[in-house]
Each structure stands twice: as structure tokens, then as C-alpha cells.
Amino acid sequence: MMEKGLLVVVSGFSGAGKGTIMRRLMERYDGYALSISATTRAPRPGECSGREYFFVDKDCFEEMIDRDELVEYAKYVDHYYGTPRAFVEEKREEGKDVILEIEIQGALKIKQKFPDAILVFLTPPSAEELRRRLIGRGTEELSAVHRRLMRAVAEADGVEAYDYILVNEDIDTCTENLHNLIRASHDRASAHLDIIECIRKDLRRIENAAANLS
Ligand code: 5GP
């Protein structure tokens, strides 16, 4: 029987390099599917609907909530963001590990609903580096950068709930580390308890048969 894919949540400070690492992970390795979220925020230059996000209006987003079409959703800096359910379920059934690049409120909801999900938090090595990267991106007004920095401060509060924290000092190393920890997670005890249970039953049967013979 094919093993169902894992649910992997990747969060991190805005500017931690999540987008680049996700792209690298998809390019380098097979077996992953990156979920595309729905959002009510406007596309940034170069973004298009169906690739970075499904850009929808507020009414449309609220209909998706009402129809229970989202695995989780959250409000982040005045906009809705949510994970469409159908893609996640379909890809996991195909045995793909589904990556959700989402913020902390959504991550915690995922952990509640799917206790086996793996939560990874990406961080740059320092606050100064984070600030530099956010300003360097140059796609946003300074006031928006400021709001993101303030939000980052709040986000660090929930980080204890995560299973792993990866420090992004180098994109390639960080991508490889992420891949390795996802691979290793396939062998977590909880994923193989059924095998151990089978072996136990068989051992008891063998022992009983031997006892009956003697
Ligand atoms: P951005 O506007 O920079 O693309 O994303 C803002 C934040 O929303 C990021 O932290 C991103 O990870 C998060 N985000 C993107 N999609 C989702 C989603 O479907 N659900 C939740 N909860 N957060 C999301």
C-alpha cells in the first residue's frame, strides 16, 4: 500500500528566505507538492494568479470559508490567507509530501487538526540580517516593511510549538537540511507503529505454536 504523504508546514519571518528555499526544494527533489494558497492581498509585480497565490476578493474568500474548502486560514496584515483543501488531500493520497508555506496562526491550526504534521520555522541568523533582507527586497512601502517587522516580533512568540527551527545562513545548505529532516520524518515512530504491532502479533503466534508443540 502506498504511504500517504506528510504534511509539512514551513513558516518563518517574512524575509527569512522561505520562497527561495521552497523553489529550490521543488527544483532539486521529487516527491513534494507545494500548496498554492488563496489570498485577498493584491498581487505584487511579477506575481500571477494560480502560481504564487490564487488572488481572490474578500467575498470569494468568505465563500470558500463557508463551503469548508480551506484546511486553515488566517488574517495577516489586513488580508486573508488560506490553504485550499482539495489539493492537499489529493497530493497526500498520491504519496507526495505537501508543503504549506504559511504563517504561525495557520500552522498552529494545522497542528491541532493534523498532529502528525511537521512544523518547521525558518529564521535568518540575526534581526539585523532580517531587516536588511526586508528592505533589500524593495517591493514594499517602508510602512509595510515596518508592519512586517512588528509582526515578526509577535510571530517569534509561538515558535516553541514548532518541531524544528532552521537557520538560513546559506540557501543550498538550508534547502538540503529541510529535505533531510522531511525524509527522516517518514521514519518517525508514529509512522511505523503498525509494523511493530504486526511483528508483535506474529511473535506471539510463533511462541504459542512452539508452546503447543512442546
Ligand atoms: P506574503 O504576503 O508575504 O506573500 O505572505 C504573508 C504571510 O502569509 C507569509 O508569512 C506567508 O507564509 C503567509 N501565508 C501564505 N499563505 C498562507 C495560507 O494559506 N495560510 C496562512 N495561514 N498563511 C499563509
Side-chain angles (χ1 to χ4, degrees), residues 18 37 41 44 53 72 81-83 101-103 148:
K18 279 174 297 178
S37 298
R41 87 146 160 76
R44 296 193 187 113
Y53 284 104
E72 62 71 41
Y81 293 82
T83 304
E101 192 216 305
I102 64 177
E103 52 65 73
R148 280 165 188 277

Side-chain angles (χ1 to χ4, degrees), residues 23-44:
R23 271 197 301 281
R24 217 40 83 88
L25 189 75
M26 299 299 133
E27 285 161 14
R28 295 252 164 105
Y29 306 100
D30 291 329
Y32 293 117
L34 183 62
S35 161
I36 301 174
S37 298
T39 183
T40 56
R41 87 146 160 76
R44 296 193 187 113

Side-chain angles (χ1 to χ4, degrees), residues 101-117:
E101 192 216 305
I102 64 177
E103 52 65 73
I104 201 156
Q105 306 168 57
L108 299 180
K109 283 185 211 152
I110 291 288
K111 193 71 182 178
Q112 263 176 9
K113 285 194 190 168
F114 307 91
D116 279 349

Side-chain angles (χ1 to χ4, degrees), residues 46-66:
E47 287 183 336
C48 67
S49 202
R51 193 177 64 197
E52 282 79 12
Y53 284 104
F54 296 105
F55 295 100
V56 299
D57 62 24
K58 190 162 165 274
D59 288 347
C60 177
F61 197 98
E62 287 173 348
E63 273 169 31
M64 291 170 95
I65 299 174
D66 292 343

Side-chain angles (χ1 to χ4, degrees), residues 140-158:
E140 236 124 337
E141 298 285 322
L142 269 181
S143 61
V145 171
H146 180 71
R147 269 186 293 159
R148 280 165 188 277
L149 283 172
M150 289 303 98
R151 175 76 193 218
V153 172
E155 279 198 337
D157 283 347

Side-chain angles (χ1 to χ4, degrees), residues 24 28 31 41 60 72 94-95 118 125 132 134 139-140 147 152 161 164-166 168 182 190 205 210:
R24 217 40 83 88
R28 295 252 164 105
R41 87 146 160 76
C60 177
E72 62 71 41
E94 287 172 16
I118 306 159
R132 207 177 52 74
L134 273 176
T139 52
E140 236 124 337
R147 269 186 293 159
Y164 299 96
I165 295 178
L166 286 182
N168 178 16
I182 297 171
S190 58
R205 243 185 332 106

